[in-house]
Amino acid sequence: MKIPSSQDPRVVVIGGGFAGLELARKLRNKPCQLVLLDKNNYFNFQPLLYQVATSGLEPNSIAYPLRRVFRNARNIFFRMAEVERIDPEAQSVHTSIGAITYDYLVVATGSQANYFGLDPSKLLPLKSVPQALQLRNHILVEFEKALLASDPEKMESHTNFVVVGAGPTGVELAGALGEMKNFVLPRDYPELDFSAMNIHLVEGADRVLPTMSEKASERARRYLGELGVQVHLRTLIREYDGKTIEIAGRRIPSRNLIWTAGVKAASLPGLEPALSKSGRLVVDAFNRLASFRNIFAIGDVAEMATEENPKGHPMLAPVAIQQGRHLARNLLRIQQGKALIPFRFFDKGTMATIGRNRAVADWGRLRLGGFPAWLAWMFVHLFTLVGFRNRLVVLVNWVYNYFTYDKALRLIIKRGKNLEETFVETPLEAETTN
Amino acid sequence: MKIPSSQDPRVVVIGGGFAGLELARKLRNKPCQLVLLDKNNYFNFQPLLYQVATSGLEPNSIAYPLRRVFRNARNIFFRMAEVERIDPEAQSVHTSIGAITYDYLVVATGSQANYFGLDPSKLLPLKSVPQALQLRNHILVEFEKALLASDPEKMESHTNFVVVGAGPTGVELAGALGEMKNFVLPRDYPELDFSAMNIHLVEGADRVLPTMSEKASERARRYLGELGVQVHLRTLIREYDGKTIEIAGRRIPSRNLIWTAGVKAASLPGLEPALSKSGRLVVDAFNRLASFRNIFAIGDVAEMATEENPKGHPMLAPVAIQQGRHLARNLLRIQQGKALIPFRFFDKGTMATIGRNRAVADWGRLRLGGFPAWLAWMFVHLFTLVGFRNRLVVLVNWVYNYFTYDKALRLIIKRGKNLEETFVETPLEAETTN
């Protein structure tokens, strides 16, 4: 990989998510050379992916080109690459575009969907922008298919939706589907009988939003009920043939199984010695791997045991952001020969929205619900978005959707016959030399 | 295909482009049953496709779901389908989702790229939304690749762009690429030498914008020069190996050959008797096929010989829109037993924009250029867009791009490894019975 040589120590960061992005920002124009690697050329704001999937927002509103973030950052070099393995002995990272050596390595690879043994090809995941677009296409095409169905069961299999996992993503997605059923789709498909559209939310735990307060769970469940979402608790999906699914002994025809249940850390070959039982990278209070002193892990992939969280922090954006910011400080302290400062997570609270005017929020001891929580949710998300234009466009869309009870972006953008022919797959191959 | 039966005569319209959409709109809630078929579920505003390709706009801003257009239109039924062939004897249309019979058939299938024998898989066309997104990805990935190139020629092959065809699309695209070179890309890729990025515009005729006035051509060419676009007139591309291209005896390394040269009508099997030499459907002054009295053709696919245009009207949106509107009137007159009115094209003029603050317009005898023409171009396009939200979002983006000298949407949304696995191809198959 061609990177200009530099006097400053080289920090290679793998992953431009919440953790990696925040770290790189804090090291902008600081005395180090930072090489940021990501398989995509953009940062994506995962908390709003479900709105892309439900035709509420366009990808560009929640994604932001990484190169733009680091304009005028003389010491930061972005490369779009798939990382294949780490070689800690040689202190080098092997990627799809060649190898690169590091003085310090920061692993911020986040997490990926955990299918618990089910066949991923039959499930609809929601962890990336392409998956969100794919899900949008799938949802819309299912209704076109429903129009053509010759018998009721076939028809239902297209209009029934099963969302697995009642974490924030699952709850918000189920809520958005409930809204589409109530306000949007009947106007588009007057020929269809929407009493045949059922939305099931399946959760293994004994309440929705298990990571939030009892009060929040209770409220969220009520809101879901009001939107017509059927909630199934203490329920696990053990098998799915792509056509019908069994929930609590009931056979439900559905070709739409949306998977938001559980994620697992996305570690990398070469770091096996540092893996915990749950597959995360065990780090000390400084996000440093015990086995490799110049390798750090932050965000979802890192497992830092604390009193409150003996199994590591929850896999949430705030943890990732705070760890990124903190490690940036520590990396600078290393160069200044100062002692490292241990990381402490400051819990700003969590929130989830369920359709228009309804949300739940836990802030310290405060338990917010209904319209106030919904307003808070909107503003928090609007202002954590990257880029002024994005905030503006998202606001325009939200205001539009709110007042028109509509979702404007119902485009099925498929790779048509012609496109199939002219489609140029564009992997980045390694050049002969690095 | 399941369509409710009706007393009114059934008009089947193939194609939801400018022509088909306008026709259907004018027959909304009129005494006929209208079945609209399109392979996509959206109308797309082709004149702005090039801005999607150059990261200026998102697809949803220039595309509009067809079902939303026809909400509350009791007599209009949309079906997403690929038409396979027409059977004029049986008065039926065979599609990917089954057959359907008609009383009147309107063919509004438009046109498709004409590659003049070159290998489409090596070219980058720009006729559809997926192609525009594909082109955007391709352009951005080429610069990522340029960063990795080991020798200058390889590097240039990634940064050289050749646009074939100097019609409005080609000229506007070349202009937009010129702007990206001058204002956008250098900030994203400070490591790259953009003197190595050359934009070539190749045209077979003796001037750019050959369909417009001499004055407009002259101005457009000057504007292109100011943006650093190299124009090659009286030049044809006879072969291209995907790596290097020969223009006027000069060998230019380029992996980016964007094809906007020439289109051909997109007729359908079963209508061969009506085909003209150039492959369009020959129609009389009422857009009716001579060979089949209850079949009509409108827009690009129709060839209506007139005094001004013995070879048929130019393949332009205004012609399509006016023919759609006119045929709607005539179809109603047929039912009222009235005589048909011959079509006359009212030329509202043509325009093209070349980068910021510069455009050319021919209105009757008026020849506009520079900033006034550019303003006019913006407003005309803004107000011909379908949907209030689209106008608002496009305006926001244009204003943003204008003042920041930026194009915000530089996302490479690729079907990643994971997606490859979970990608659900979703063709609409015919149900057993229709």
Side-chain angles (χ1 to χ4, degrees):
Chain A
M1 199 183 308
K2 288 194 312 183
I3 302 285
S5 61
S6 153
Q7 319 304 23
D8 301 321
R10 177 184 290 166
V11 180
V12 173
V13 181
I14 305 175
F18 280 107
L21 182 62
E22 183 68 15
L23 175 96
R25 276 171 151 172
K26 290 288 179 263
L27 292 178
R28 183 190 271 134
N29 296 331
K30 291 283 191 297
C32 68
Q33 181 188 59
L34 190 142
V35 178
L36 177 61
L37 305 176
D38 196 290
K39 61 177 181 300
N40 294 315
N41 78 327
Y42 54 85
F43 160 80
N44 90 74
F45 191 76
Q46 287 198 18
L48 289 178
L49 271 180
Y50 81 96
Q51 292 206 6
V52 173
T54 52
S55 308
L57 292 176
E58 270 296 309
N60 71 290
S61 311
I62 65 155
Y64 197 86
L66 286 164
R67 290 191 177 281
R68 281 187 73 223
V69 181
F70 297 111
R71 276 185 183 175
N72 321 324
R74 283 169 280 87
N75 66 323
I76 296 183
F77 300 85
F78 171 75
R79 291 292 184 271
M80 197 168 120
E82 296 262 0
V83 172
E84 286 148 3
R85 62 185 178 84
I86 313 293
D87 182 344
E89 309 317 320
Q91 297 202 13
S92 75
V93 178
H94 294 266
T95 81
S96 54
I97 62 170
I100 180 170
T101 58
Y102 59 81
D103 299 302
Y104 300 99
L105 177 65
V106 179
V107 182
T109 44
S111 55
Q112 62 203 37
N114 184 352
Y115 301 110
F116 299 104
L118 275 81
D119 174 1
S121 70
K122 296 197 169 64
L123 310 175
L124 296 159
L126 186 55
K127 281 286 290 180
S128 71
V129 170
Q131 286 172 350
L133 284 173
Q134 178 54 30
L135 181 51
R136 174 198 297 185
N137 280 1
H138 180 86
I139 292 171
L140 297 171
V141 169
E142 283 301 289
F143 287 94
E144 297 295 333
K145 286 179 172 173
L147 281 176
L148 312 172
S150 50
D151 64 78
E153 167 144 354
K154 264 215 184 82
M155 208 275 252
E156 278 183 51
S157 74
H158 293 302
T159 55
N160 282 337
F161 286 81
V162 178
V163 180
V164 182
T169 304
V171 166
E172 291 175 336
L173 185 65
L177 287 171
E179 294 218 296
M180 285 186 91
K181 172 186 175 173
N182 297 335
F183 306 122
V184 183
L185 294 166
R187 290 187 286 176
D188 270 14
Y189 300 91
E191 302 165 66
L192 283 182
D193 166 19
F194 279 88
S195 64
M197 175 181 181
N198 294 300
I199 302 152
H200 301 271
L201 180 60
V202 179
E203 167 60 42
D206 60 354
R207 56 193 181 101
V208 300
L209 299 174
T211 59
M212 291 183 70
S213 66
E214 299 272 356
K215 179 88 184 140
S217 302
E218 190 185 299
R219 278 195 177 120
R221 175 150 195 191
R222 192 173 79 243
Y223 298 155
L224 287 165
E226 287 163 8
L227 284 166
V229 175
Q230 301 175 35
V231 179
H232 309 271
L233 301 172
R234 297 185 204 74
T235 309
L236 296 174
I237 303 297
R238 290 217 175 60
E239 52 183 342
Y240 177 55
D241 63 0
K243 291 193 187 65
T244 57
I245 183 162
E246 201 173 295
I247 298 176
R250 215 171 110 223
R251 239 181 100 274
I252 297 169
S254 174
R255 299 175 165 275
N256 316 304
L257 187 63
I258 303 169
W259 194 262
T260 72
V263 291
K264 56 171 184 246
S267 180
L268 290 164
L271 300 178
E272 289 75 8
L275 286 181
S276 75
K277 255 204 242 65
S278 63
R280 294 167 90 179
L281 294 169
V282 179
V283 296
D284 59 21
F286 315 112
N287 284 97
R288 184 168 48 188
L289 273 60
S291 25
F292 312 107
R293 308 304 288 167
N294 62 341
I295 303 182
F296 300 80
I298 51 178
D300 288 0
V301 73
E303 182 171 313
M304 184 190 297
T306 65
E307 279 176 18
E308 317 81 67
N309 298 298
K311 287 196 159 68
H313 297 90
M315 293 186 179
L316 296 172
V319 177
I321 294 168
Q322 291 178 37
Q323 288 188 341
R325 193 177 304 147
H326 187 80
L327 179 56
R329 262 181 80 198
N330 272 337
L331 285 174
L332 292 174
R333 292 179 68 86
I334 289 178
Q335 294 183 57
Q336 296 155 355
K338 295 185 185 156
L340 300 188
I341 301 165
F343 171 78
R344 298 202 102 295
F345 175 54
F346 172 60
D347 188 350
K348 291 213 189 83
T350 52
M351 53 207 318
T353 183
I354 305 99
R356 54 195 297 119
N357 300 345
R358 296 200 191 79
V360 291
D362 295 341
W363 287 330
R365 266 188 220 74
L366 185 62
R367 306 269 172 266
L368 230 58
F371 189 71
W374 180 74
L375 268 186
W377 181 91
M378 285 221 309
F379 282 105
V380 168
H381 282 76
L382 210 48
F383 289 111
T384 35
L385 276 174
V386 181
F388 169 74
R389 195 203 63 90
N390 286 1
R391 292 184 196 136
L392 197 56
V393 172
V394 168
L395 187 62
V396 167
N397 278 299
W398 281 355
V399 170
Y400 174 90
N401 297 343
Y402 187 80
F403 288 106
T404 58
Y405 281 80
D406 198 359
K407 311 249 184 183
L409 319 177
R410 297 191 295 287
L411 311 177
I412 301 172
I413 297 176
K414 55 185 165 70
R415 304 165 72 229
K417 287 208 189 77
N418 283 326
L419 191 64
E420 211 53 73
E421 289 161 19
T422 63
F423 198 85
V424 191
E425 287 295 351
T426 49
L428 293 170
E429 265 96 37
E431 284 285 335
T432 45
T433 59
N434 302 301
Chain B
M1 199 184 310
K2 290 194 309 184
I3 302 284
S5 61
S6 153
Q7 320 302 25
D8 301 321
R10 176 184 289 165
V11 180
V12 173
V13 181
I14 305 175
F18 281 107
L21 181 62
E22 184 69 15
L23 174 98
R25 276 171 152 174
K26 290 287 179 267
L27 291 178
R28 181 190 274 135
N29 296 330
K30 291 283 189 301
C32 67
Q33 181 187 58
L34 190 142
V35 178
L36 178 60
L37 305 175
D38 197 290
K39 61 179 184 300
N40 294 315
N41 78 328
Y42 55 86
F43 160 80
N44 89 74
F45 190 77
Q46 288 198 16
L48 288 179
L49 271 180
Y50 82 96
Q51 292 205 6
V52 173
T54 51
S55 310
L57 291 176
E58 272 297 306
N60 71 291
S61 311
I62 64 156
Y64 197 86
L66 285 165
R67 290 191 178 281
R68 282 187 73 223
V69 182
F70 298 111
R71 276 183 182 176
N72 322 322
R74 282 171 280 84
N75 66 324
I76 297 184
F77 299 85
F78 171 75
R79 290 292 185 270
M80 198 167 119
E82 295 261 0
V83 173
E84 284 149 5
R85 63 186 178 82
I86 314 292
D87 181 344
E89 310 316 321
Q91 297 201 12
S92 74
V93 178
H94 294 267
T95 80
S96 53
I97 61 170
I100 180 169
T101 59
Y102 59 82
D103 299 302
Y104 300 99
L105 177 66
V106 179
V107 182
T109 43
S111 55
Q112 61 204 37
N114 184 353
Y115 300 109
F116 299 103
L118 274 82
D119 173 0
S121 70
K122 294 196 170 66
L123 311 175
L124 297 158
L126 185 55
K127 282 286 291 179
S128 70
V129 171
Q131 285 172 351
L133 285 173
Q134 177 55 29
L135 181 51
R136 175 196 295 186
N137 280 1
H138 180 85
I139 292 172
L140 297 172
V141 169
E142 283 301 288
F143 286 95
E144 297 295 334
K145 286 179 172 173
L147 281 177
L148 311 173
S150 50
D151 64 78
E153 167 144 353
K154 265 214 186 83
M155 210 275 254
E156 279 182 50
S157 73
H158 294 302
T159 55
N160 282 338
F161 286 81
V162 178
V163 180
V164 183
T169 304
V171 165
E172 291 177 335
L173 186 66
L177 287 171
E179 293 219 298
M180 286 185 90
K181 172 186 174 171
N182 297 334
F183 306 123
V184 182
L185 294 166
R187 289 187 285 175
D188 270 15
Y189 300 90
E191 301 165 67
L192 283 182
D193 166 19
F194 279 88
S195 65
M197 175 180 181
N198 294 300
I199 301 152
H200 300 272
L201 179 60
V202 179
E203 168 60 43
D206 60 356
R207 57 193 180 100
V208 301
L209 299 173
T211 59
M212 291 183 71
S213 67
E214 299 271 357
K215 180 89 185 140
S217 302
E218 193 183 301
R219 279 194 175 122
R221 174 151 194 189
R222 192 173 76 244
Y223 298 155
L224 286 165
E226 287 164 9
L227 285 167
V229 176
Q230 301 175 35
V231 179
H232 309 269
L233 301 172
R234 297 183 206 78
T235 310
L236 297 174
I237 303 297
R238 290 218 175 59
E239 52 182 343
Y240 177 55
D241 62 2
K243 292 196 188 65
T244 56
I245 184 164
E246 201 173 297
I247 297 176
R250 214 171 111 223
R251 236 180 103 274
I252 297 168
S254 175
R255 299 175 166 277
N256 316 304
L257 188 63
I258 304 168
W259 194 261
T260 72
V263 291
K264 57 171 184 246
S267 181
L268 291 164
L271 301 176
E272 289 74 7
L275 286 180
S276 75
K277 255 204 240 67
S278 62
R280 294 167 89 177
L281 294 169
V282 179
V283 296
D284 60 20
F286 316 112
N287 284 97
R288 184 168 49 188
L289 273 60
S291 27
F292 313 107
R293 307 304 288 168
N294 62 343
I295 303 183
F296 301 80
I298 52 178
D300 288 0
V301 73
E303 181 170 316
M304 183 189 296
T306 64
E307 279 177 17
E308 318 81 67
N309 298 299
K311 289 196 160 68
H313 295 92
M315 294 186 177
L316 296 171
V319 178
I321 294 168
Q322 291 179 37
Q323 287 188 341
R325 192 178 305 145
H326 187 81
L327 180 56
R329 260 180 82 200
N330 274 336
L331 286 172
L332 293 174
R333 291 179 69 87
I334 289 177
Q335 296 183 56
Q336 296 155 356
K338 296 186 185 152
L340 300 186
I341 301 166
F343 172 78
R344 297 204 104 289
F345 174 55
F346 171 59
D347 188 349
K348 292 213 189 86
T350 51
M351 52 207 320
T353 182
I354 304 100
R356 55 196 293 123
N357 300 345
R358 296 201 190 79
V360 291
D362 294 341
W363 289 330
R365 265 189 221 75
L366 184 61
R367 307 269 172 266
L368 229 57
F371 189 72
W374 180 75
L375 268 186
W377 181 93
M378 286 221 309
F379 283 104
V380 168
H381 283 76
L382 210 47
F383 289 109
T384 36
L385 276 174
V386 181
F388 169 72
R389 195 203 63 90
N390 285 1
R391 293 188 193 130
L392 198 55
V393 172
V394 168
L395 187 62
V396 167
N397 278 301
W398 281 354
V399 170
Y400 175 90
N401 296 344
Y402 186 80
F403 287 107
T404 59
Y405 281 79
D406 199 358
K407 313 248 184 181
L409 319 178
R410 298 191 295 285
L411 312 177
I412 301 172
I413 298 176
K414 57 187 163 72
R415 304 164 73 230
K417 288 206 192 81
N418 282 325
L419 192 64
E420 211 52 73
E421 290 160 17
T422 63
F423 197 86
V424 190
E425 286 294 350
T426 49
L428 293 169
E429 266 96 35
E431 284 284 335
T432 45
T433 59
N434 303 302

